[in-house]
Amino acid sequence: MPNPAVFVPHFHWDREWYEPFQVFRHRLVTALDTVLETAEADPDFRFTVDGQMAAVEDYLEMRPENRERVAALVREGRLAVGPWLILLDEFLCSGETIVRNLQMGWAAAERLGGAMPIGYLPDMFGHVAQMPQILARAGIEHAALWRGVPGTVDGHAFRWRAPDGSEVRTEFLFDGYDNGLDVLLVPDRIRHALGEYAGMTAERWGGDPVLAMAGTDHNAPDPLLGEWLRKASGEERPITVATLDEYILGHARDEVTAVVTGELRSHVRGNILPGVLSVRLGLKQRMAAAERTVDHAERMNALWSGRDDSAFLALAWHKIIESTAHDSVVGSGTDETCDQVAARLAEAAQAARAVRDAALAEPAAGVPADAYLVANPLPAPRTALVEVDVVAAPEGSTLVATTADGTTHPVQPVSQAPTVLSDERLDASQLERVLRRIHRRELFGLLINGYELTPHSLVFHLAEVPDGPFDLMTLRGEVAAAAAAHPGEWRVRTLAQARATALVAVPVPAAGLAAFRVGAAGLPAAPAMQGATATADRLSNGLVEVAVTADGTLDVTGVDGTVLSGVGRLVDGGDRGDSYNYAPPGHDVLVSEPTGVAVELLESGPLRARLRVTRVYEWPEALADGDRDRRGGRTVPTPVDMLVEVRAGEPFVRISTTFLNRSADHRLRLHVPLPLPVTSSASAGQFAVTERGLTAEGGWGEYPLPTFPASTFVSAGPATVLLDHSAEYELVDDGSALALTLLRAIGSISVNIHPLRDEPAASEIPAPGAQDLGMRVENRFAVLPWASGWQGANAVALADEFRGDALVTRGTAPAGGPLPADAAGVQVEGRDVHVSGIRRITDAEHGPGTELRLVAMRDTATAVRVTGAFTEATTVDLLGRPIGAEPVRDGLELDLGPWEIRTVVLRG
């Protein structure tokens, strides 16, 4: 008996790609108009809206009058919407962003009548290891996807298992999300074509119906589809029209035995287009910055503000999630599309920054204006290094910081601000023009602390915090009288209080606040920790040592004696590929040796020591004219600055690279050589640390380059690199070095002929902005040597510290008053535990609370202790639904399983 067939009408909607968002939205409105009309004319018609509510929201913004029409079809089960807000690239955002995407999409779908309970992920470029747990902890038992599934899966479904053991039954769209279209090419031959397709794929279906996904990119199905399928249906092979969840929940009956654990990044059944990890670096950096800013804003708002800014936070999250779309943050669109993504991420960061700053302004109102407030966003106590503007120390004295308990802490002056801001000579008749610069009391960004008015001379004295009152109207009258009494040339000087930029080491409680004041003292404060030192070519802080070698690379020695030699070697090669896939020219020229090296001592401690290493390289300007398999002969000298920094108390060396890019079609990588070759690497991101080997599985039309994603750190042998943003890495030279991509510059969305990919990934559309020509390219990371790898090095906690800088703001209470006592927020204790979010929530039944999301980033169970100002705790699922109360006795004790994601709400 032939398998019956189930057709799922749908479309896949790239919100922005080779056209910008509004152009695609115009098509979307037309397409969904057609879907509604078809569904209302044909009671048998069903439609699946691509698993993402963004398409529905974008449509209803233009067609608000159709909201009830859409909701009616959703309630009837004929229009499947959600569960996602948008179909994201899973590797280029944080795990927390994935959760918020699901939460916001589910809520939006519920408002229309209900979300499709399927983790539909049709076109992502691979899938993260913890996706099954994310879905399962939201109550979703099924997934459906295409790319990345390994060759071991020979059916149409498998059990996808997360590192913690969670599983979801996963429908494998092995022929893509448009496999039904070929069957529909000739309406009168659908029955015959379906028979041929079912015969070719029979081994995959077993006893289940054939799933025919009847849709493709940016097009509604033909309104006659239902009529065609009714004519093609017969007793021998009946045809049903269904939504995707109706097929998976109602028609797929076979027992699924195949199990796949962890991430899906195989090339065996479809391209995963790994080059998107490294193209358009700026978008990856903006995404990380926006995520970090909204995370800090939520924490500050939840812990220290009486104001509910959830509307601004929701706006920030929505814009971030929109930007995670798998053709957005990846950078595979046109220049105008990528410009729009960058602007959206900037808006998200701006909205979040406003919330963060407003939240900090509330406790800052209790701090004197001649002092500062430091906020620690991490739920563990730390000594934070902050940079502030202070009154410079008088000759023969030094600066120290004093906290509320009277303890002094070291201060490191960094730079001295100019004191003479202006010195002018002008006629008395022009003095009134000078006064127009004053806005109430502000002049040149400072405040007038006083002035001296004598014949033919006016001197302004400015300060950050003025001592007494100032009356602008009195000044105007005095100047007018003096100008009339003393005509002729006048000298006007504006003098600022002698000020300096200084580093201060301040102890701050877990997720807490601390205030400090900097003042002059006769002797420096005793260092609270081993100080940082520097010489002409060496840095040290007692935990890590760095020596600059003759070629400008670094020898880094860790606290356990591990030595990494040659760190920071730069290797530049050609790239004849596109935004989707790297491709070396057939006759590549690699440039790894500088033509010149210079080292400059910038800071010598005791809190921070810095060297700048400048290396000059001769990089080819572009590929050869008319021959993309060769780099051109013309080169451009390119200085690359490498800022090398150690801070007191940190067991790693911070490294920043920057250069002005003047070359096209090239890839630049930074190497961290390893003492001995390794056969595997591990990278952290999206609630897991994933291990990978030296190769990737191939078998489709794409060469399986073993370049992989990393979000917060990557580790190979004794070398762990902490990351500022999502990055691409590879183990090279047979496992002898870890290579991080700093820049991949290309000029086309896709190329028709690609040496490492059989079929075009898109049209060959120019994307000159992806060359980053004339742009200053900057990367920031840290190198952590430790013989026993990332777990021995405590990399989970150190990565959070590296990314999660303390926040600092000036007090606004009257100067000279007492400092407020330190205040603690929520403290989380537990080895390899990552806290991905702390936010304010409000539940209609239970009232306000603080939500805390914990992740055990290890393969063994871990005990966690949470303390703070709460008396009740409830475990909830990832959609916020209560699971059960937790006992609170002088804190909250939790036992997390390996790789477990746990969300708790604290109240009381």
Side-chain angles (χ1 to χ4, degrees), residues 782-807:
V783 175
L784 173 62
W786 204 279
S788 55
W790 66 270
Q791 285 184 300
N794 197 23
V796 172
L798 292 177
D800 284 342
E801 286 192 26
F802 176 68
R803 277 195 170 193
D805 287 338
L807 310 171

Side-chain angles (χ1 to χ4, degrees), residues 394-416:
E395 190 74 26
S397 64
T398 188
L399 294 174
V400 295
T402 306
T403 46
D405 60 2
T407 306
T408 59
H409 305 275
V411 172
Q412 176 183 324
V414 175
S415 62
Q416 187 88 16

Side-chain angles (χ1 to χ4, degrees), residues 530-543:
Q530 176 71 44
T533 61
T535 62
D537 58 1
R538 291 180 179 272
L539 301 172
S540 177
N541 64 0
L543 298 175

Side-chain angles (χ1 to χ4, degrees), residues 224 290 358 436 582 683:
L224 297 177
R436 293 175 194 164
Y582 160 77
S683 77

Side-chain angles (χ1 to χ4, degrees), residues 709-721:
S711 290
T712 57
F713 68 78
V714 57
S715 184
T720 297
V721 180

Side-chain angles (χ1 to χ4, degrees), residues 8 48 80 116 118 120 144 211 213 242-249:
V8 174
T48 300
M116 177 175 71
I118 307 295
Y120 187 45
L211 171 62
M213 298 293 289
T243 60
L244 182 61
D245 55 316
E246 286 178 326
Y247 171 80
I248 291 174
L249 299 177

Side-chain angles (χ1 to χ4, degrees), residues 302 839-843 847-851 905-907:
R839 65 164 173 164
R840 177 202 306 264
I841 63 164
T842 300
D843 183 285
T850 301
E851 184 186 81
V905 176
L906 310 176
R907 291 188 172 92

Side-chain angles (χ1 to χ4, degrees), residues 302-488:
L303 296 172
W304 307 115
S305 176
R307 171 176 169 168
D308 183 358
D309 266 331
S310 56
F312 281 92
L313 293 168
L315 172 68
W317 274 116
H318 200 287
K319 289 186 176 294
I320 288 171
I321 293 164
E322 289 176 64
S323 302
T324 65
H326 64 288
D327 287 304
S328 297
V329 70
V330 299
S332 60
T334 60
D335 288 354
E336 60 180 340
T337 294
C338 292
D339 288 346
Q340 188 171 26
V341 176
R344 188 184 302 128
L345 286 169
E347 278 192 77
Q350 290 155 8
R353 188 180 74 204
V355 174
R356 181 199 67 194
D357 293 351
L360 285 179
E362 294 181 43
V367 176
D370 59 342
Y372 285 92
L373 179 72
V374 180
N376 176 14
L378 304 181
R382 67 198 293 199
T383 296
L385 190 63
V386 295
E387 193 168 293
V388 293
D389 178 78
V390 298
V391 178
E395 190 74 26
S397 64
T398 188
L399 294 174
V400 295
T402 306
T403 46
D405 60 2
T407 306
T408 59
H409 305 275
V411 172
Q412 176 183 324
V414 175
S415 62
Q416 187 88 16
T419 56
V420 179
L421 303 186
S422 71
D423 189 345
E424 305 166 90
R425 294 183 183 275
L426 65 163
D427 189 78
S429 62
Q430 301 297 308
L431 288 179
E432 175 60 28
R433 297 179 60 188
V434 172
L435 300 185
R436 293 175 194 164
R437 301 170 182 165
I438 303 171
H439 300 276
R440 291 176 290 279
R441 191 168 191 164
E442 181 270 329
L443 178 60
F444 297 163
L446 297 170
L447 299 178
I448 296 175
N449 196 36
Y451 58 90
E452 301 170 30
L453 181 61
T454 58
H456 300 286
S457 175
L458 174 59
V459 181
F460 292 106
H461 295 279
L462 309 184
E464 288 274 350
V465 181
D467 296 327
F470 168 76
D471 187 340
L472 179 57
M473 297 308 295
T474 298
L475 172 64
R476 288 186 182 278
E478 292 177 353
V479 169
H486 304 282

